[in-house]
Amino acid sequence: MAEPLELKKTLNLPKTDFPMKASLPQNEPKQLAAWQESHLYERILEARKGKPLFVLHDGPPYPTGEIHLGTGLNKILKDLVVKTKSMAGHCAPYVPGWDCHGLPIETQVEKELGGKGKVPPAEFRKLCREFAARFVELHKKDFKRLGVFGRWNDPYLTMSHDYEATIAGAFLDFVEKGYVYRGRKPVYWCIHDSTALAEAEVEYEDHTSPSIWVKFGVVGGGKGNAAKIGNDVSAVIWTTTPWTLPHNRALAFHPDFEYAVVETEKGSLLLATERIPALQAESGIKEARVRATLKGRDFEGMKFQHPFLPIQVAGILADYVTLDQGSGIVHTAPGHGADDFNSGQKYGLEIYAPIDDKGVYLEGLPEYKGKDVFTANPLIVKLLGERGALLGHHEFKHSYPHCWRCHNPVIFRATEQWFIKMDQAARGGSKTLRAEALEEIQRVKWIPAWGEDRMYEMIKERPDWNVSRQRFWGVPIIVFYCEACGKRLEDFKALRNVVKWFEKEGADAWYSHTPEELLPAGTKCVCGGAKWRKENDILDVWFDSGSSCLAVLTPKNGLVEPGQDWRPAEVYLEGPDQYRGWFHSSLLVAVGIKEKAPYKSVVTHGWTLDEHGRPMSKSLGNTLYPIEICERWGADLLRLWVASVEYQADVKMSERVMTQLSEAYRKIRNTFRFALSNLGDFNPSRDALPSGQLEEMDRWMLERTAELVRKCREWYAAYDFHRVYHAIHDFCVVDLSAFYYDVLKDRLYTKAAKSKSRRSAQTAVWKITSALVRLAAPILVFTTEEIWKYLPKSADDPESIHMSVFTEERALRTGIPADKVAEWELLSKVRGEALKALEAARNAKRINSGLEAKVIFELFTPEAEVSFLGLLRKYAQWLPALLIVSQVRVPPDSAGPLNTRVLHADTFRSEAIPGLGIRVIAAEGAKCERCWNYSTHVGENKRYPTICERCSEALDEIERDSSANVAVI
């Protein structure tokens, strides 16, 4: 007979080369290089060829500066969407893009040049293009470092020739449909950058303005009793923009408000009755006796004397007048405000705003002419005082519009601009652009749901779209004027010839070719003229990015189904500022040209804050940059953070958060490592057991895994990534590490390697791990690829985890009956209570470890006996392994009537399961040298006298297998 086996060598101790320490900052770049070398992204698309298409259309960031945490959050969220859809079986291409035109680039280039106007326009555009291209490459590198897959070798750029041609063509489409007009309207204007601004280019910041109360003397006119108040009365207005007073052309009254003539020590004053106390508080007026009250409508047509100019201004009516601030009479300068302008149009007032691009007065009194508007503010206040028209003056801190790039205060200024009409139907159509857009909003799925109301209200209330800018770096407005008569060229076939030039040379062609070169030969005006002058303005950068749905969602980019020339994207995903930005402009462009929203759903994420809820900024010293996080913790930790937060609200980040996530990551990684260390000798094609041959506990855990897969796939589909993260984390830590894998250790380590019992456990572990690693793959892109390399594969498993698909729920279902599932749920509950009893016994020094214990169950209520007696007896042989103890005794038939049973003093009474008692005593017998369980049968095996009966059975099987192998050889 062969010599007895060395006991230690008969154990199946865990073994794996999968490292315990991740070393993500060092290993992730190596994996990136391997992915790039193997063209993984392209192979994923090839593997999904012919599958249903899913398109997330990337909102283009500006290529300026390094990416910040908010940009990282955005890109990782998009990558989570794309990867989850790919692993759900969709073809999910991702074409990243950059918005390369506009003020952000111009500002940076001007800084490098040392100011504006240093080089000719063509050279300036060249420098802008080079600057944008440089930062596109830097951004690419950083985004790839985050584990984001995409078409990085060929992104879409708004400055590419094809894209610029698309923008120009889209503008001509709007013109041809009758939406576009040129008009003089007040627009946001940055006097620092000398350009009009879109609403999305305006941010509100605190600003201190002069708050003044000013008198306009009554000249006469009006209706009813108002006509009799006399010219000793002065109307009172309040303003925080004294610089607009030279351009005042009316005083606005609300038709339904009550106004009073009050006698004061500063004269007879006219204002809204409700605002008399405010006037007294801010002007120092002590007494105010009401002489008469009148309705606002009676002041329509009344004439008032301007406080320092030799003109009279009219009384008008307006429903935008409020009683929240001021006097209830609104100073109206039609050249400097939207409401003012509309009133001016209604009453035929002069749209007067003689201010140049730098905000300097071109006309006016010597006191302010030649000064910029903000310099003129105190000068005009002084002038009002000298003319006796100033009732009160103090500094007023309030929220005021500022330019988003230079952060200087902006003004409203009436200038000639190009506009798209919101309340105009396309030629041949019946619905206005506004009406069509509002209808489309209601067909889109908005996540969160409040996005629908927000977008609806914005579109409902917005003015006509100002699409012109006074800059160089952008797409020029394709308009030509006849040199002879000044008329615009309206031959659209001729105008579209310019688009062909853009396709060949980009928009730079506008600056490097004459009109006669750009237009078809012989193009003439209706007057017979053949000489043309080009428009100088460029298009709003939001029109550029809004046209991305036209330029990118195309067959050329593989983002439409076969046979389609265009289709909306499944989803847009950006921050909340894009409701007035890219979401907004994309909707208007798509509806205007395609008569359809460019997206089927819109997802919004919040802002990134520090742990105290403050926005991150360099000045506060609280910034954490994505690349810094990658270098310290790894990209997978950053991705884990993104997946862990409820991103639809503002999210917090700090070193403390990263430390906590590092611990969560360690636990997840260790769960996978345990599985891999017990699958080293497992070949799925050879060793996996069919579901019907699995042990009942293994079947139950596979059912639980199937349920996890079902829920996580639903949450992924709904973009609820934080639910997926928490479910995976809890399943790893609670269900697997603290329970199932803990219970399995004895079976995995001590059973014969090829035993059916151990193969059952390995089959379950392999299936669970295979499903779990796929669920985690969109989040932990590097770690799961590493796990995949060590995981035993099926014949059809791909080389990379990211080419695989999620495990189907049905593949994990084992057919275990529902009543069995319910029984195992109860057993897990019993186990939780038993662990508490064991912990109490350890603390009382009755045992040192669970294997030294014998657990005795006692039932002392009718309800507990009904619920648990049969269960405990049925699974009595499973209980020692389930509790990880040596022995368990369940209540015997001879336990006696409930009222005669006496609980031992050290019995643990369960609170979670009333009527259940658990007593822990020392296990009987001797300790098995091999498995460390205690047994009364240790010593019965003469060949192996130090082992228990369980190990005797295992060693018999091991020796039989060894003999069989020898015989085969």
Side-chain angles (χ1 to χ4, degrees), residues 362-384:
L362 301 174
E363 300 175 10
L365 299 180
E367 284 85 350
Y368 54 84
K369 184 179 178 182
K371 306 287 195 306
D372 72 78
V373 294
F374 294 114
T375 300
N377 261 339
L379 302 177
I380 290 173
V381 173
K382 181 182 177 185
L383 179 61
L384 289 166

Side-chain angles (χ1 to χ4, degrees), residues 595-671:
E595 300 179 0
K596 194 172 186 64
Y599 34 68
K600 297 175 184 177
S601 61
V602 171
V603 180
T604 310
H605 64 75
W607 303 109
T608 53
L609 311 173
D610 70 9
E611 62 183 329
H612 304 294
R614 300 173 302 177
M616 290 191 170
S617 69
K618 288 182 179 179
S619 60
L620 290 174
N622 62 349
T623 53
L624 276 174
Y625 289 95
I627 299 308
E628 174 191 350
I629 292 171
C630 290
E631 290 172 352
R632 293 180 60 186
W633 290 287
D636 266 1
L637 264 292
L638 180 60
R639 296 178 68 93
L640 199 65
W641 169 72
V642 172
S644 72
V645 296
E646 294 190 46
Y647 66 86
Q648 293 170 19
D650 293 344
V651 294
K652 295 181 179 180
M653 164 60 89
S654 65
E655 291 206 19
R656 185 171 60 86
V657 168
M658 291 307 298
T659 300
Q660 292 170 345
L661 282 171
S662 296
E663 180 61 18
Y665 171 83
R666 185 188 65 80
K667 290 178 179 178
I668 293 171
R669 184 180 180 89
N670 283 347
T671 301

Side-chain angles (χ1 to χ4, degrees), residues 746-757:
D746 182 74
R747 200 174 357 145
L748 288 168
Y749 299 170
T750 67
K751 294 291 184 180
K754 298 179 182 179
S755 70
K756 187 174 180 181
S757 176

Side-chain angles (χ1 to χ4, degrees), residues 430-653:
S430 59
K431 293 178 182 176
T432 67
L433 180 59
R434 190 190 309 277
E436 284 198 66
L438 291 174
E439 286 183 7
E440 284 299 306
I441 288 169
Q442 297 174 78
R443 297 188 178 105
V444 174
K445 182 177 182 180
W446 299 87
I447 304 170
W450 53 255
E452 179 176 347
D453 289 340
R454 185 169 183 180
M455 182 61 85
Y456 193 93
E457 289 304 313
M458 283 189 168
I459 297 294
K460 179 182 175 183
E461 300 298 331
R462 70 154 296 140
D464 288 349
W465 184 3
N466 172 17
V467 293
S468 53
R469 295 293 181 270
Q470 293 64 48
R471 303 175 194 157
F472 294 115
W473 181 228
V475 176
I477 290 177
I478 309 302
V479 169
F480 295 90
Y481 303 95
C482 176
E483 292 276 24
C485 69
K487 286 186 178 179
R488 277 169 42 204
L489 176 63
E490 295 187 356
D491 181 342
F492 289 101
K493 184 177 180 181
L495 290 169
R496 290 189 187 279
N497 197 63
V498 180
V499 177
K500 296 177 182 177
W501 278 97
F502 284 12
E503 288 172 351
K504 291 184 293 182
E505 300 181 10
D508 289 344
W510 188 258
Y511 299 90
S512 57
H513 294 281
T514 66
E516 289 70 33
E517 290 174 315
L518 294 171
L519 293 168
T523 301
K524 290 186 178 181
C525 177
V526 291
C527 75
K531 289 290 184 180
W532 301 96
R533 173 174 57 86
K534 291 181 285 189
E535 170 63 57
N536 291 323
D537 288 353
I538 65 170
L539 283 163
D540 174 18
V541 69
W542 292 106
F543 191 91
D544 290 10
S545 60
S547 300
S548 65
C549 60
L550 308 177
V552 182
L553 303 178
T554 64
K556 178 182 176 182
N557 289 313
L559 301 183
V560 299
E561 296 285 8
Q564 295 178 320
D565 63 352
W566 184 84
R567 72 192 285 273
E570 271 66 30
V571 65
Y572 279 31
L573 189 157
E574 302 296 336
D577 53 334
Q578 297 309 315
Y579 282 90
R580 60 175 186 158
W582 190 57
F583 296 159
H584 197 122
S585 63
S586 297
L587 176 68
L588 294 182
V589 170
V591 169
I593 294 177
K594 297 294 186 180
E595 300 179 0
K596 194 172 186 64
Y599 34 68
K600 297 175 184 177
S601 61
V602 171
V603 180
T604 310
H605 64 75
W607 303 109
T608 53
L609 311 173
D610 70 9
E611 62 183 329
H612 304 294
R614 300 173 302 177
M616 290 191 170
S617 69
K618 288 182 179 179
S619 60
L620 290 174
N622 62 349
T623 53
L624 276 174
Y625 289 95
I627 299 308
E628 174 191 350
I629 292 171
C630 290
E631 290 172 352
R632 293 180 60 186
W633 290 287
D636 266 1
L637 264 292
L638 180 60
R639 296 178 68 93
L640 199 65
W641 169 72
V642 172
S644 72
V645 296
E646 294 190 46
Y647 66 86
Q648 293 170 19
D650 293 344
V651 294
K652 295 181 179 180
M653 164 60 89

Side-chain angles (χ1 to χ4, degrees), residues 310-328:
I311 60 171
Q312 293 177 4
V313 301
I316 62 173
L317 303 182
D319 58 8
Y320 55 76
V321 178
T322 71
L323 298 174
D324 297 335
Q325 289 180 311
S327 66

Side-chain angles (χ1 to χ4, degrees), residues 47 118 147 281 296 330 437 463 562 564 572 614 685 809 877 919 968:
K118 299 289 185 180
V330 175
Q564 295 178 320
Y572 279 31
R614 300 173 302 177
S685 60
E809 174 193 346
Q877 67 175 4
R919 187 179 173 210
V968 169

Side-chain angles (χ1 to χ4, degrees), residues 823-841:
E823 287 174 347
W824 277 98
E825 296 294 340
L826 280 176
L827 286 171
S828 69
K829 194 174 180 181
V830 170
R831 180 179 187 271
E833 295 306 292
L835 294 182
K836 294 176 186 177
L838 288 164
E839 182 64 23

